[in-house]
Amino acid sequence: EIEAKYSKKMQVLRDELDLRRKTEIHEVEERKNSHISELMRNHEKAFNDIKNYYNDITLKNLALISLLKEQMEDMKKKENQLEKEKADVLLQNKQLKETLQQAQEQVFELQKKLAHYDKDKEALTNTKAHLKVTQKELKDLQWEHEVLEQRFSKVQAERDELYQKFTKAIKEVQQKTGFKNLLLERKLEGLLSVLEKKEVELSEVFAASNLDAGALSLVSHKLEDVLNSKNTTIKDLQFQLARVCKAHNDMLQTFEAKLAAFGIPLDNLGFKPLASPLLGQ
C-alpha cells in the first residue's frame, strides 16, 4: 500500500513535473519563437536599414560620380579654355613687352623733354605774348587791308585815268625828246664840222704866214685856249645829250614800272617805246 501509495504519488508527481516541464518547455519555445521573431524583425529592420543606407550611399556615389564626371568635363573644357587663354596671355604678354619697351623709350624721351620743360614753358609764355601782339597786328592789318581795298578801288579808277594820260604823255615826250635829241646831234655835228674847217684854215694861215717863233707860240696858245673852250662846249653838249637820253630812258623805265604795278601789260599800249641810245653807242 505504501509502495502503491508512493508509486501513485510518484506518478502524480511525475505527471505534474512532466506537465510543468511541458508547460515550461512550451513557454521557453514561445519565448524562443518570440525572441526569434523579434530577432528576425530586428535583423530584417537592420538589413533594410543597411540596405537603404547602402542604397543611399550607392545613389549618392552614382550622383557624385556623375557630378564628378560633369565637373571633370567642365574642368577639361576650362583647361582647354585656360590653355587658349594662356596662349592669348603669352601673346599679349609678348605684345605688352614690346609696348612696354616702346613706353619705356617714350618715357625716356619724355624725361628728356621734361628737362627742357621750363625752357619750353617760358618759350610758350613768350609765344603767347607774341601771339597776342601778332593778333593785334593782324587786326590792324585787317583794318588796313579794308582801307587798302577801298584805296585800291579808288586807285584802279585813277589807274585807268592815268593809263590814258600816260599813253598820251609818252607819245608827246617821245616826240619832244626825239626832236631835241635830233637838234642836239645836228648842232654837235655842225660844231664838229666848223672845228674841222677852222683847223684847216688855221693850218693854211700858219703855212702862209712867216711868223717868228714868239708870235707863233702866242697864236698857238690863243688857239689852244679857243680849242679848249670849244672842247668844253662840246663836252657840255655831249653831257646834255647824255642827260636827256638818260632822262628819256628813266622815264620809260618808270612808266613800265607803273604799268606793271597797276597790272597793265606793256603790249596793251599799241606801240613799243623806243629807248634812246647813250652817247657813244
Side-chain angles (χ1 to χ4, degrees):
E1 290 177 0
I2 293 171
E3 187 176 355
K5 181 181 178 182
Y6 278 103
S7 293
K8 186 177 179 181
K9 285 182 178 182
M10 180 66 70
Q11 188 65 39
V12 172
L13 181 60
R14 189 174 289 174
D15 291 336
E16 289 177 359
L17 289 175
D18 187 47
L19 180 61
R20 184 183 293 176
R21 180 181 62 80
K22 287 182 180 179
T23 302
E24 289 178 358
I25 289 172
H26 181 71
E27 290 177 358
V28 169
E29 286 180 357
E30 285 182 357
R31 284 197 304 272
K32 181 192 71 174
N33 291 330
S34 177
H35 184 65
I36 288 171
S37 298
E38 186 177 357
L39 287 174
M40 289 179 68
R41 286 194 302 270
N42 291 332
H43 289 170
E44 186 71 23
K45 182 181 178 183
F47 177 76
N48 290 328
D49 292 336
I50 292 172
K51 184 178 180 181
N52 293 328
Y53 173 72
Y54 282 107
N55 285 333
D56 293 336
I57 291 175
T58 303
L59 293 174
K60 288 179 181 179
N61 289 333
L62 291 174
L64 182 61
I65 289 170
S66 299
L67 181 61
L68 290 174
K69 286 183 178 179
E70 293 176 358
Q71 290 179 355
M72 187 178 290
E73 291 178 357
D74 293 336
M75 292 296 289
K76 287 183 179 179
K77 291 180 180 179
K78 288 181 179 180
E79 185 179 0
N80 294 330
Q81 184 68 27
L82 289 173
E83 288 292 333
K84 293 181 180 179
E85 291 179 357
K86 179 182 176 182
D88 295 336
V89 168
L90 289 175
L91 181 61
Q92 290 178 0
N93 191 16
K94 184 179 179 181
Q95 294 175 352
L96 288 173
K97 283 183 180 178
E98 296 176 357
T99 306
L100 178 62
Q101 185 177 1
Q102 295 176 357
Q104 287 176 348
E105 293 176 357
Q106 291 178 357
V107 167
F108 180 71
E109 293 294 331
L110 290 174
Q111 287 177 349
K112 290 173 64 178
K113 292 180 179 179
L114 184 61
H116 303 284
Y117 173 74
D118 293 332
K119 294 182 180 179
D120 293 339
K121 187 177 180 180
E122 184 178 358
L124 179 62
T125 304
N126 296 330
T127 303
K128 286 182 178 179
H130 184 68
L131 179 61
K132 290 182 179 179
V133 175
T134 305
Q135 287 177 348
K136 185 177 181 301
E137 292 178 354
L138 178 61
K139 290 181 180 178
D140 295 338
L141 289 174
Q142 287 176 348
W143 181 79
E144 291 179 2
H145 178 68
E146 292 178 358
V147 174
L148 288 174
E149 282 185 347
Q150 296 176 359
R151 291 179 61 187
F152 178 72
S153 301
K154 184 177 179 181
V155 168
Q156 277 185 333
E158 293 177 355
R159 181 199 65 182
D160 296 336
E161 183 179 357
L162 286 174
Y163 174 69
Q164 297 176 356
K165 291 182 180 179
F166 270 126
T167 305
K168 184 178 179 181
I170 195 66
K171 290 181 179 179
E172 293 177 357
V173 170
Q174 194 172 18
Q175 291 175 358
K176 290 180 181 179
T177 305
F179 181 70
K180 190 173 182 180
N181 290 340
L182 182 60
L183 289 177
L184 289 174
E185 288 176 357
R186 289 183 179 180
K187 188 176 180 180
L188 182 61
E189 289 176 358
L191 289 174
L192 290 173
S193 177
V194 170
L195 180 61
E196 290 177 357
K197 289 180 181 180
K198 293 294 183 180
E199 287 179 352
V200 172
E201 291 176 357
L202 184 62
S203 299
E204 291 177 355
V205 168
F206 283 158
S209 64
N210 295 319
L211 296 176
D212 57 358
L216 184 61
S217 175
L218 181 62
V219 171
S220 297
H221 285 299
K222 289 183 178 181
L223 183 59
E224 287 178 358
D225 293 336
V226 172
L227 289 176
N228 289 329
S229 177
K230 294 297 182 179
N231 288 330
T232 303
T233 304
I234 291 171
K235 289 180 179 179
D236 291 337
L237 292 173
Q238 288 176 346
F239 176 72
Q240 292 179 7
L241 179 62
R243 185 173 61 185
V244 171
C245 291
K246 186 176 183 305
H248 175 72
N249 293 333
D250 291 341
M251 184 198 63
L252 287 179
Q253 292 178 358
T254 303
F255 178 67
E256 291 175 357
K258 289 289 184 182
L259 290 179
F262 287 118
I264 302 174
L266 191 62
D267 297 336
N268 291 345
L269 290 176
F271 64 92
K272 184 177 180 180
L274 180 63
S276 297
L278 298 178
L279 189 64
Q281 295 182 351

